[in-house]
Amino acid sequence: NVFTEPAAELELLAKAQSPDIGPAFARIRSLQRRIALDAQGDQGNESARGSAPAPAPTAAAENLAPIHSTLPMANDRFRDLIARFVDRLDERVTEMESAVSSGDAEALASLGHWLKGSGGSVGFHEFDEPGAILESAARAGDLVGASEVVKHIRSLCERIELPGKEAI
């Protein structure tokens, strides 16, 4: 079901022969990679599912391509919304790093929850899963795991590119 909306978007863009088809295709590829990782990770072991947070991807396994919002940047309202999110994201990741340093699992869980909800709503779906993993690790009291996820989130932030702006 998660492919329905992105596939419909891709189809509309393709029919319109839009030059902006790349982000829609990237969203589908991102979903596809998650399926491949999930199937590989549990090896069919039913007891392993849902028992612990998944580890953050390692830098070697990570795609290092620039990250762009899937929202239409030609729309001024969307562009302003995305720019505000990126500024807020930088503040929130700094708060995450502070919460890791102080051992504040409750703050980390709250920040992870914010990230998994906010990132996708502005077209940055790369943050959905790390936000969920951070929230889960923090709720489980796994500050070491949460710390690794925060590092991964920071590396994702460094790959964000906005038209007319350098990566954050």
Side-chain angles (χ1 to χ4, degrees):
N1 289 340
V2 299
F3 285 91
T4 303
E5 181 183 286
E9 178 187 6
L10 182 62
E11 181 180 14
L12 289 173
L13 291 168
K15 285 181 179 178
Q17 297 180 353
S18 172
D20 297 326
I21 204 164
F25 186 73
R27 185 172 170 200
I28 291 172
R29 293 286 297 168
S30 174
L31 290 170
Q32 179 270 327
R33 282 191 297 276
R34 287 187 204 169
I35 290 171
L37 290 174
D38 289 346
Q40 212 175 34
D42 67 33
Q43 299 293 321
N45 181 352
E46 291 296 324
S47 64
R49 290 191 184 123
S51 61
T58 62
E62 187 177 339
N63 175 4
L64 298 177
I67 296 174
H68 302 95
S69 173
T70 58
L71 296 180
M73 293 301 285
N75 181 307
D76 289 340
R77 277 188 7 187
F78 286 139
R79 192 172 45 253
D80 291 344
L81 179 68
I82 293 163
R84 282 195 314 269
F85 168 78
V86 169
D87 289 341
R88 183 72 173 144
L89 176 62
D90 191 43
E91 293 169 10
R92 290 292 180 124
V93 174
T94 299
E95 291 173 27
M96 290 174 196
E97 292 164 340
S98 229
V100 164
S101 294
S102 67
D104 189 347
E106 187 176 323
L108 283 169
S110 176
L111 290 162
H113 184 79
W114 172 84
L115 183 60
K116 77 178 184 183
S118 299
S121 68
V122 292
F124 289 111
H125 300 284
E126 295 85 354
F127 291 97
D128 297 346
E129 186 176 10
I133 293 170
L134 176 61
E135 181 180 16
S136 181
R139 292 204 189 285
D142 178 9
L143 293 175
V144 172
S147 175
E148 290 304 310
V149 177
V150 171
K151 289 176 190 173
H152 174 65
I153 292 168
R154 175 60 76 187
S155 74
L156 290 174
C157 291
E158 292 168 358
R159 293 174 34 217
I160 292 175
E161 288 186 3
L162 300 175
K165 241 186 166 180
E166 297 295 321
I168 63 167

